[in-house]
Amino acid sequence: MRLASHHHCTNDINTLEQESCIWLAKKYYANDLTVLKAAESYSPEHFLRLFITANGMKPVGTWQTHTYARYTDSQTNKDHFFLIPMPQTKSDIQPHIRFENGLLLIDHLQTNIYPQSIPHTTPFWYFHYNPNHEHIPYESMTLNLSPSCLEKCVLCAGAKTGRVNNGMDSTMSAHSVIARILQQHPQAQKQLDSVAVVTGCFPSFYELTSHLRDVRTAIDQHCSPSTYRVLEHNVVTEQQFDLVVGELGYDVFITLECFDQNIRNIALNGKVGRKGRNSQEFLTIINNYVNYLEAHPELNKRFVRVTYLMGLDDLSVTEQFFAQLAQINKKLKHTTILPWLSIFTAYNEGMRAIQHQDFNLKFIFNAMDICKKYFDPQLLVSHSGGTGDGYARGLF
């Protein structure tokens, strides 16, 4: 809210901002105790981020499907980078959300949220934007060098932007791409600490591991990252984990997305692709990964991360799934299963059709409460892919 011009101490400003959040909650969610309680208990900026994410805004700037924004949380002093989706069309009463003179307004209230683009991005690789690490902008990179993907998942943003499926048949050479990146951004040679690989769903485990080995070899020739990650669903058995995690040194992010099988069949093209395999099989994959890491504590791999999109499953399904993960966690000594949590944001009407019919601001707050019921709240803030680490769709 436009409060910086008032000559109050910080506590007064926070109180006034909280009052503005409560005003918004009462105006648009008057009968919703969940939202009213959140307006009183969350930091004002956190509440506003989720309010804006739930309601959406007409896109401005680079993309026609969404807008990126940034703010500093008044309680933690941490910067957050987040995505504002297209406006929701369900409600009769919509808040007027827009940017004016470089700051975001909701109705008559001016916030301290402002536009923020992603630097250094190209179709096949991009440096992750962390607003708290701007002194090391080349710290973390994502690669997608296998753009041809046969699975054509409805919810894949990459398929819409050309990152994953842009008609190229062959996987790009890791060595030549890395050489080109370092030529364009020589500072990356010293700064690069984390590399994530998004494969585009290789047709065989052999092709996947050959690519992962090529990426590792190409980067290790020039840089010394401490972390290699791969977002995958086709590393399944303990023997396969031994190769990808034990030998090649990757952390596997198991790409689940949602647990309800009917939704999986639609969103993940279950009748065609392997990504849409039965959700129970993912529990087996998670257990295999956990068993492997528990048997190899010397690898010092602390987390098993499972990507999960909030806004597809019914929250009762989410709770059942998280309860199962929490039961597994109780038995573990060295490892913790932790969901990598994003808010599902539609890029088009086809994607919007698979969003849960009850998705709204109350849904988001209830989802966060379920997460905190089954997982350590501090770990969720620090290790689940939140906006404070620059993951623009992060739930936390």
Side-chain angles (χ1 to χ4, degrees), residues 21 39 42 49 55 77 101 103 141 148 170 174 197 201 233 241 288 327 354 357 390 395:
C21 292
Y42 280 69
R49 170 172 73 84
N55 286 285
N77 284 325
N101 301 318
L103 288 173
M141 178 172 69
S148 181
S170 58
V197 178
C201 307
H233 54 277
F241 282 112
N288 287 343
Q327 281 299 114
I354 62 172
Q357 61 182 10
L395 179 63

Side-chain angles (χ1 to χ4, degrees), residues 280-353:
Q280 294 299 320
E281 292 181 45
F282 276 83
L283 283 173
T284 303
I285 294 171
I286 291 165
N287 269 304
N288 287 343
Y289 193 7
V290 162
N291 291 338
Y292 175 74
L293 292 183
E294 285 288 292
H296 294 87
E298 73 279 1
L299 294 173
N300 201 27
K301 303 283 189 185
R302 186 180 167 199
F303 294 107
V304 166
R305 289 189 178 89
V306 183
T307 66
Y308 190 80
L309 292 169
M310 209 59 81
L312 296 175
D313 285 333
D314 190 271
L315 288 179
S316 63
V317 174
T318 300
E319 178 144 20
Q320 290 166 15
F321 173 56
F322 285 3
Q324 292 182 73
L325 298 184
Q327 281 299 114
I328 302 171
N329 273 339
K330 286 179 181 177
K331 304 171 186 174
L332 305 180
K333 293 179 180 177
H334 308 292
T335 320
T336 301
I337 304 167
L338 192 69
W340 186 263
L341 295 159
S342 303
I343 300 172
F344 176 69
T345 54
Y347 277 22
N348 55 37
E349 289 306 313
M351 291 176 75
R352 197 189 292 278

Side-chain angles (χ1 to χ4, degrees), residues 99-115:
F99 281 109
E100 287 184 11
N101 301 318
L103 288 173
L104 187 136
L105 276 74
I106 307 174
D107 296 344
H108 69 284
L109 300 169
Q110 183 168 294
T111 74
N112 292 319
I113 297 169
Y114 54 94

